[in-house]
Amino acid sequence: MQQPEQTPSEGHADVRIVAASPEVARRVAEVLRRCFAATEQRSYPAGAGGGTRLELVVDTTRAAEPARSWLETSRTPGADSRRE
C-alpha cells in the first residue's frame, strides 16, 4: 500500500524530472538549482522502459534571478496586500 504524499512546506515545491537519459535529467535539475535553492537530487529508474527519474525540493522563497523576477510578476494582483 502506498503512503499518501505529503504537501511540501510553504514556499517549497517537490519536483520530479523524468528523462530518457540520466544526463538530460541532470541538465534540467541544474537549471532549477541555478534559479532556486534546492535539496540534493535523488535518482531512480523511471520504469520498465528505461530512463531516469530525479527528485528534488526547490525553495521558492530563496529564488535567484531570473526566477525571482518571474515569481514577482506572476503573483495574483493583491495577493500580498493587507486587508483592512
Side-chain angles (χ1 to χ4, degrees):
M1 190 160 120
Q2 283 188 331
Q3 297 292 325
E5 291 189 35
Q6 292 183 321
T7 301
S9 60
E10 185 68 32
H12 291 78
D14 288 338
V15 178
R16 289 178 184 88
I17 303 163
V18 180
S21 73
E23 180 57 31
V24 170
R26 281 192 294 268
R27 288 169 56 195
V28 173
E30 180 61 31
V31 170
L32 288 171
R33 282 194 295 274
R34 288 179 190 213
C35 294
F36 300 101
T39 61
E40 189 65 31
Q41 66 198 32
R42 296 173 308 278
S43 179
Y44 305 94
T52 298
R53 184 181 86 218
L54 293 182
E55 296 181 358
L56 64 153
V57 177
V58 296
D59 181 353
T60 64
T61 65
R62 295 181 27 209
E65 293 297 336
R68 182 187 318 272
S69 59
W70 178 84
L71 286 169
E72 290 169 358
T73 60
S74 67
R75 289 197 172 113
T76 305
D80 290 334
S81 62
R82 294 183 184 185
R83 294 182 182 173
E84 295 183 29

